[in-house]
Amino acid sequence: MQVPSLSISRRTRKTPFSRRVQEAGVKAYTVYNHMLLPTVFESVEEDYKHLKSKVQIWDVSCERQVELWGPDAGRLAQMLTPRDLSDMALNRCYYTPMVDETGGMLNDPVTTKLAEDKYWVSVADSDLLFWIKGLAHAFRLEVDVDEPDVSPFAIQGPQAEDLVARVFGERIRSIRFFHYDYVEFEGQRMVLARSGYSKQGGFELYVDGSKWGEPVWDAFMEAGADMDVRAGCPNLIERIEGQLLSYGNDMTRNNTPHECGLGKFCQTQQAIGCVGRDALLRVAVEGPVRQIRSVAIDGDPVPPCNELWPIIGGGRQVGTISSAAYSPDFRTNVAIGMVRMTHWDDGTKVQVDTPHGMRTATVWETPFCNQGG
């Protein structure tokens, strides 16, 4: 069966790096926040091996920034999340589950505090900008909410720190995880954070101004030529091994942060002003009845998980698989699923109804990458 192609128009925005991505031989895209996000260069498997051993540069411009700027920026930022932001320092980036009035997940961005009156919210794939603008208007807050011309550029892999040091100097090695500092590129000041959508270590450079996209790309490719630096992208296999969740795939507005295993990022009692606070306080007391787990699915490689696959336990459905891929390192199909509390304990045996038939599987509480490989 022929795979349908994706029609691209001006509604699907290109990025400051799109021409370089094309020249690098991108083989597949997805659409993320109305922008092109590369998904494959060599192959998912080859990209995976290279990411875990070398260093890659990623066009993740689709992680759009929602900028909150004004006297009420801090108040608005706290309204969005059950994570307590009251003690957030200026050099910090916080992973922040964001919820609606029912406590349902709207997004799981990284929030960066640039000043007492200025924040960037680096969003996953949902139109969070409109929700934030709506809150600001409804509460008559003194704050501007907009999308600046800022495009994240990720450097990921075991050699990422060495490559970034070649471009910006040795002092970048002192940036701690989920902290940031300022660097200069040809006189332009930019934010460099130790963060990224992989478990291999690395940085995200917030490229401030589209005109700097290709010069930044070229500088990193030149600096890393002898390191076998390649164009890459978030890798399906590696993110599942690390239990890095994909909003819209592994969680939606129908899930609370606690169901998504993100309770440690919720200080709901202290997060005064969060619009979903009352709903989440009840959840925190009662606890979730289902939760995200890693699942190892036995047998030959499974096909792409384009629909939810039922998890069966004791003759009835006890959950769903939302992401799956075959892992060369773990020599099994790795998966992420939402599992009912009756079957979420470590080592629980279940079955998964895949397009290739029923498979035996094992539920794991911790990500695969924490289990050795």
Side-chain angles (χ1 to χ4, degrees):
M1 184 175 65
Q2 185 176 358
V3 177
S5 60
L6 179 67
S7 297
I8 304 298
S9 70
R10 289 183 64 247
R11 290 184 296 105
T12 309
R13 295 182 292 175
K14 293 184 178 180
T15 82
F17 312 103
S18 287
R19 188 162 59 175
R20 292 293 186 264
V21 166
Q22 201 76 22
E23 292 168 353
V26 64
K27 292 182 178 176
Y29 289 107
T30 189
V31 177
Y32 193 103
N33 281 326
H34 313 288
M35 298 191 86
L36 292 172
L37 171 63
T39 56
V40 181
F41 282 87
E42 295 295 325
S43 69
V44 174
E45 294 77 13
E46 287 301 317
D47 294 349
Y48 162 85
K49 293 175 184 176
H50 184 266
L51 171 61
K52 296 184 78 171
S53 62
K54 301 289 186 177
V55 58
Q56 296 178 352
I57 55 175
W58 296 358
D59 173 8
V60 282
S61 304
C62 61
E63 296 172 358
R64 303 312 299 161
Q65 305 308 295
V66 179
E67 184 177 85
L68 320 180
W69 196 354
D72 288 330
R75 179 185 172 192
L76 178 56
Q78 187 64 82
M79 291 176 71
L80 302 170
T81 180
R83 182 161 187 178
D84 181 19
L85 306 182
S86 60
D87 294 328
M88 188 177 185
L90 291 181
N91 65 336
R92 288 303 309 275
C93 315
Y94 276 10
Y95 181 66
T96 45
M98 294 197 167
V99 299
D100 63 12
E101 74 284 358
T102 71
M105 291 280 294
L106 293 178
N107 210 284
D108 66 325
V110 172
T111 297
T112 301
K113 184 174 183 178
L114 302 171
E116 292 299 331
D117 62 351
K118 186 175 182 180
Y119 294 76
W120 282 347
V121 180
S122 187
V123 301
D125 189 21
S126 77
D127 291 308
L128 195 68
L129 173 67
F130 301 137
W131 168 255
I132 299 176
K133 288 180 74 71
L135 287 177
H137 175 74
F139 285 87
R140 301 184 181 278
L141 301 182
E142 193 174 349
V143 60
D144 290 327
V145 179
D146 205 355
E147 181 186 301
D149 183 16
V150 173
S151 299
F153 172 85
I155 309 95
Q156 300 289 297
Q159 300 180 34
E161 184 176 286
D162 291 336
L163 177 56
V164 176
R166 289 186 181 187
V167 177
F168 293 122
E170 291 296 311
R171 71 181 183 86
I172 65 91
R173 297 185 189 275
S174 65
I175 300 175
R176 291 184 291 158
F177 188 52
F178 268 65
H179 287 66
Y180 73 86
D181 200 352
Y182 288 96
V183 293
E184 282 201 4
F185 181 82
E186 297 184 7
Q188 176 68 24
R189 195 172 186 236
M190 300 182 188
V191 170
L192 177 69
R194 192 182 287 269
S195 58
Y197 195 57
S198 87
K199 289 288 188 175
Q200 305 311 308
F203 296 81
E204 288 178 302
L205 177 67
Y206 291 76
V207 177
D208 198 345
S210 293
K211 70 176 183 178
W212 299 109
E214 292 185 3
V216 164
W217 182 284
D218 294 343
F220 275 89
M221 288 299 286
E222 181 179 349
D226 63 335
M227 303 169 70
D228 191 24
V229 61
R230 296 183 193 174
C233 52
N235 184 269
L236 176 66
I237 306 170
E238 195 272 345
R239 82 154 181 90
I240 296 174
E241 289 179 354
Q243 206 181 90
L244 295 175
L245 305 183
S246 170
Y247 185 81
N249 285 317
D250 304 311
M251 54 186 171
T252 69
R253 191 163 52 87
N254 295 320
N255 302 118
T256 67
H258 299 277
E259 290 179 335
C260 301
L262 305 178
K264 63 183 178 181
F265 300 109
C266 300
Q267 297 83 42
T268 312
Q269 195 72 44
Q270 292 77 36
I272 306 299
C274 171
V275 296
R277 182 170 179 265
D278 289 345
L280 288 178
L281 283 173
R282 291 192 297 271
V283 172
V285 172
E286 298 168 1
V289 297
R290 58 181 180 173
Q291 199 167 62
I292 287 284
R293 288 292 187 268
S294 292
V295 181
I297 304 175
D298 299 334
D300 295 334
V302 293
C305 185
N306 298 324
E307 297 181 357
L308 295 175
W309 299 345
I311 301 173
I312 308 299
R316 62 189 179 90
Q317 184 170 340
V318 295
T320 54
I321 295 294
S322 52
S323 297
Y326 184 80
S327 166
D329 283 359
F330 289 91
R331 298 179 294 281
T332 190
N333 294 290
V334 295
I336 293 173
M338 187 72 71
V339 186
R340 289 191 64 82
M341 64 187 302
T342 54
H343 289 73
W344 70 24
D345 288 344
D346 206 39
T348 301
K349 300 296 182 181
V350 293
Q351 292 182 303
V352 176
D353 190 1
T354 79
H356 288 180
M358 199 70 75
R359 299 285 186 87
T360 56
T362 307
V363 176
W364 297 112
E365 294 183 29
T366 56
F368 290 92
C369 66
N370 293 350
Q371 301 173 28

